[in-house]
Amino acid sequence: MERFTESIRFDQRLYAHDIAGSIAHAQMLAKVGLLSAAECEQICQTLREIQGEIEAGRFPFRTELEDIHMHIEQALIDRLGDVGRKLHTGRSRNDQVVTDLRLWTRDALDRVDRRLVALQRAFVGRCDRDADVILPGYTHLQRAQPVLAPHYWLAYCEKLERDRQRVADCRRRVNVCSLGAAALAGTSLPIDRQEVALRLGFAEVAANSLDASSDRDFVLEAAFVLGMIALHLSTWAEEWILWTTAEFSFLTLPHAFCTGSSIMPQKINPDVLELIRGKTARVAGDLQALVVLLKGLPLAYNRDLQEDKPPLFDAYDTVRASLDVAAPLVAGAQLDHAAIAARLDQGHLDATALMEHLIRRGLPQRTAHGVVGRLVRAALDRGVRLSDLPLDELRQAEPSLDESVYEVLGPAQCVRTIRSHGSTGPEQVREQVRRWTERIAAARAGRAREEDND
C-alpha cells in the first residue's frame, strides 16, 4: 500500500515551494494570534534548516511518509514537538498541495519565458549576418516565392512571441492563492488568506473553497502552453532537418549538435533536431494524460489528482531542455549561401511577381494568372527561366508587355518589388528587424529589473 500510494519519488521537487508556503502560513497564523511570535520564529527557522538539508542531500526520504508535505511536517514535529504540530492549523493537505503546485508552475512558466526570449534573440541575431540571403519559400513543400532569410527568422520570432503571450496569460490564472480553502469548505478559524497571498506574491485569492481545493485546470492550461511551444520547436526542427540534407544543402549545423553513424563514416546526423521533434510526442502525451485524468472527477479533491504532477513535470522538463539546446543551435548554424544561390532560379519563384506586374498594367487577376501559367509551361518545356524568354515570346502571351517586364523577373528583383506591410520586401524586413531588436532589448531589460527587485 505504501509503495502504491507514495508520491515522494516525483513531488519532492516541490520542497522549496512547500517550505515557502508553510513559512507564509506560519507568519499569518502568528499575525492573527493562532501562533505566538516565538513559535512562529521556531517554525520558520526550522523549516529553513530542513530546506538546507534537502538541498545539501542530507535529508532522508521514506516511502511511509508518502509525499513531500508529510516529510517536511514530520521533520518539523520531530524537532519541535507540539510547536511543529501547530503549523497545519487552518489548512489541509488539499489546499497545501495545490498552492505548492501553483507556486512551482508560476516559477516554471517564468523560466520557460526567459528561454523563449533567448531563442528569439538567437533568431534576431542571425538577421544581420544573413541580411542579403534570399531563400526559396515553400507551400505544399513546393517552391513558391523568394523570401529574405531575415523574414524567415522573424517568422519564428512571431510564433515564439505568441508562445510568450500564452505563457503570460496562463501565469495570470496560475497566480491565485488556494491556501486557506482547507479540505474543501474553508475553516472556522480566523485566518487571513489575503495576508498569505501577499507574502507569496499571488495576485489574488481563490474565491470558492470547493473550486480551490479541486482545481487543476491551471495544470492543464500550462501543459497546453508547453505543448504549443514543443509543437513550434518541432516544426522548426523538421524544416532544418530537411535543410541539412544533400537534396537541400541549405544549412550546416554545428558539429557539437550532431553525431556520426556507427557504420557509415561519412554521416553527420542532426540528432538534436530529431530529438526535439521526437520529444514533442512526449509533451503531447503529457497533455493527453492530464485531459483524461481530469475529465471525470466530481467535486472536490480526489486522490486521482496526485497523478497531475508527473505529466506536468515531464512536459516542463522536456520543453526546457529543448529550448536550452535550440538557442545555441540557431546561433551556431551556417546557411550555405553559395548552394542556395546556385539553385535559387529553379522553380520559377518569380511567377507571382510577373502576374502582379500584369495586374499593375490593367489585366484582371485571373487573366494574368492564366497568362503567366502558359509562360511557365513554355519555360518548363524548354528548361529555362522566365527571364530567359525573349520579349517577343512574352508579348505573344500578352501584347502590353515591354522591356520593363525584366525588372520584376529573377528572385532578387522579385523581392525588391514587394512592399506590403509584414512582407518580405527589403524595407519591410529592415523595419521588422529593427522592431524585434528593440523588443528583445526591452525584454532583457525588463527581466533584469525583475531580478533586481527579487
Side-chain angles (χ1 to χ4, degrees), residues 102 166 168-176 215 218 221:
R102 284 182 178 276
R166 277 183 283 268
D169 199 41
C170 178
R171 190 189 192 281
R172 181 172 60 83
R173 281 179 287 278
V174 167
N175 201 25
V176 177
D215 169 40
F218 73 92
E221 184 177 5

Side-chain angles (χ1 to χ4, degrees), residues 128 161 266 297 367 371 416 420:
D128 286 343
E161 187 64 18
Q266 86 280 10
L297 297 185
T367 302
V371 169
R416 283 195 289 270
S420 60

Side-chain angles (χ1 to χ4, degrees), residues 340-352:
I340 294 168
R343 298 168 57 192
L344 195 59
D345 284 325
Q346 296 178 8
H348 302 98
L349 299 174
D350 48 1
T352 301

Side-chain angles (χ1 to χ4, degrees), residues 7 25 98 105 107-108 122 129 134 266 325-326 343 346 378-379 382-383 391 416 420 446:
S7 60
H25 184 69
V98 71
T105 304
D107 286 349
R129 188 198 326 171
I134 299 175
Q266 86 280 10
V325 294
R343 298 168 57 192
Q346 296 178 8
R382 289 156 54 185
L391 181 60
R416 283 195 289 270
S420 60

Side-chain angles (χ1 to χ4, degrees), residues 165-211:
Q165 291 167 4
R166 277 183 283 268
V167 166
D169 199 41
C170 178
R171 190 189 192 281
R172 181 172 60 83
R173 281 179 287 278
V174 167
N175 201 25
V176 177
C177 185
S178 302
L179 205 61
L184 76 162
T187 176
S188 63
L189 297 169
I191 64 172
D192 186 342
R193 297 186 62 204
Q194 285 74 18
E195 173 70 17
V196 174
L198 182 65
R199 288 182 178 277
L200 293 175
F202 285 116
E204 57 185 292
V205 173
N208 183 289
S209 61
L210 274 172
D211 175 57

